[in-house]
Amino acid sequence: MKNSYQEIKNRRKQIINLLNHQKTLSLNALSDKLNVSIMTMRRDCSYLANQGKVIQDKGLITLVKPEEIPLTDSVSYIKQCLGKEAAAHIEKHSWIFINSSTTAFEAIPYLLKKDVNILTNNGYAGNLDIRKSNSKIILSGGNISRKLIMSGEWAADAFLKIYADWAIIGCAGISLTRGISTPFMEEAKVNKAIIKQAKKLIVVADYSKFNQFSNFTIGQISDIDLLITDIFTPKKTIEKFIKAGVQVIQVKL
C-alpha cells in the first residue's frame, strides 16, 4: 500500500528537523533514522532539493539554511517527552537520583506531581516551585560550575550515603561496546556513584547520543534497566540494544 500524502509530508518535515540539528547527514543515515529505503530517501531529498531547501552532494544532504521549527519538533521538546516518560515509571514514595543532564532534569516537574524524594546535582532544581508539591528536592552540594552543576567529592558522597529506588540519568554518549559516557571528569565520579547506589537505572538519550563515546565511561549497558529514546533513533540500533538485554521505549512525539 502506498504511503499517504500526509505520511510523505511528515517524513520530509522530519528530514528538515534532523538537518536543523545535525547540519549534514548522509542518505544512509537519514534512511536508518527514518526507517525507510535508500530509494525513498533519495526521492524525498530530491524533492526537497528542487524546493531549494537542501543541497545534495555525493550522498550527503545539507540544509540550505536553518528553518524555524515548532516546539513540537525541537530538541527541547524531545527532551521534555523523554523526561515525562521516565517520570511515569516512578512509584509513589520512591527515592530518585537525577544527574546533571538537561534531559534527566525534564523528569523533575513531572515527579513533583508525585510524593517522592529527589536527590540531584543539578543546581537548577533549586529554582523549581515546590510549594504545591508533596515531593522533596535535595541538592547534593559540592563544587558548583558556571552551569550550576555540582561535582567533586562532596557531591559524590551525598549519593553514596543513600540507596535510591531509581536513578534517571542522561549522557553524552551511549554505545554497546563502550557503555555510557560523559565529557566531564568532575562529573564522572558523581555519575558512577549514582549508578552504583540505585536499585534500578533509567537512561534517557535522544537520537544524537547513540553510537557516540565521550571521554569518561560512567556505566555499562548491563547497568541499564530501562532505556528511553525518541522515534529518530534508528530501528537497527534499537534492535541491537534489545538483543543485548535492554528494555527500550521509543517515545512518540
Side-chain angles (χ1 to χ4, degrees):
M1 183 177 179
K2 291 185 178 180
N3 290 336
S4 69
Y5 172 74
Q6 188 60 46
E7 287 176 334
I8 296 171
K9 185 178 178 181
N10 289 341
R11 188 174 62 246
R12 290 170 180 172
K13 183 180 178 182
Q14 288 177 344
I15 293 170
I16 297 297
N17 179 30
L18 288 168
L19 291 171
N20 261 303
H21 302 309
Q22 295 189 227
K23 297 180 181 179
T24 298
L25 286 167
S26 68
L27 279 171
N28 285 332
L30 285 167
S31 172
D32 286 342
K33 287 179 183 296
L34 297 180
N35 195 30
V36 296
S37 69
I38 288 290
M39 289 295 292
T40 297
M41 189 50 54
R42 184 176 288 112
R43 186 164 54 246
D44 285 342
C45 290
S46 294
Y47 173 86
L48 292 172
N50 289 334
Q51 295 289 311
K53 294 184 177 183
V54 304
I55 297 172
Q56 298 185 86
D57 183 26
K58 298 178 181 178
L60 296 177
I61 311 301
T62 305
L63 203 61
V64 172
K65 64 178 182 178
E67 293 193 2
E68 290 295 326
I69 54 176
L71 177 62
T72 53
D73 288 332
S74 69
V75 169
S76 61
Y77 182 72
I78 291 174
K79 291 181 177 183
Q80 181 183 335
C81 290
L82 301 188
K84 182 179 181 180
E85 178 65 29
H89 294 268
I90 306 301
E91 301 89 356
K92 190 176 182 180
H93 303 311
S94 295
W95 273 90
I96 307 106
F97 292 159
I98 304 284
N99 76 343
S100 59
S101 155
T102 54
T103 307
F105 180 85
E106 292 292 347
I108 298 180
Y110 299 99
L111 291 172
L112 291 179
K113 298 176 182 179
K114 304 184 176 187
D115 186 358
V116 297
N117 301 288
I118 302 164
L119 176 61
T120 181
N121 65 326
N122 191 325
Y124 283 105
N127 296 325
L128 297 174
D129 187 356
I130 61 172
R131 289 175 294 179
K132 296 181 180 180
S133 174
N134 290 324
S135 296
K136 294 180 181 178
I137 294 178
I138 303 164
L139 300 180
S140 67
N143 301 326
I144 303 178
S145 71
R146 286 179 293 180
K147 294 184 178 181
L148 296 185
I149 303 305
M150 302 172 189
S151 61
E153 294 289 338
W154 285 9
D157 285 347
F159 291 101
L160 290 171
K161 290 176 180 177
I162 302 171
Y163 283 104
D165 300 291
W166 291 90
I168 301 173
I169 70 167
C171 58
I174 182 168
S175 161
L176 282 172
T177 56
R178 308 191 74 173
I180 313 163
S181 58
T182 178
F184 305 113
M185 180 175 65
E186 299 84 1
E187 293 181 46
K189 189 171 184 179
V190 178
N191 283 313
K192 287 180 179 180
I194 288 174
I195 293 172
K196 178 183 177 182
Q197 297 296 106
K199 295 176 184 176
K200 293 184 178 181
L201 176 65
I202 297 175
V203 174
V204 285
D206 67 63
Y207 64 90
S208 67
K209 304 300 192 301
F210 284 82
N211 300 318
Q212 301 296 319
F213 177 74
S214 198
N215 307 84
F216 302 94
T217 298
I218 59 174
Q220 302 302 321
I221 299 305
S222 58
D223 294 322
I224 304 173
D225 292 284
L226 179 60
L227 175 59
I228 301 175
T229 188
D230 55 82
I231 58 173
F232 294 129
T233 304
K235 183 179 179 181
K236 292 179 181 178
T237 299
I238 296 298
E239 289 173 347
K240 289 179 181 178
F241 276 83
I242 293 173
K243 189 175 181 180
V246 180
Q247 181 183 355
V248 182
I249 293 178
Q250 278 189 288
V251 177
K252 294 181 180 180
L253 306 176

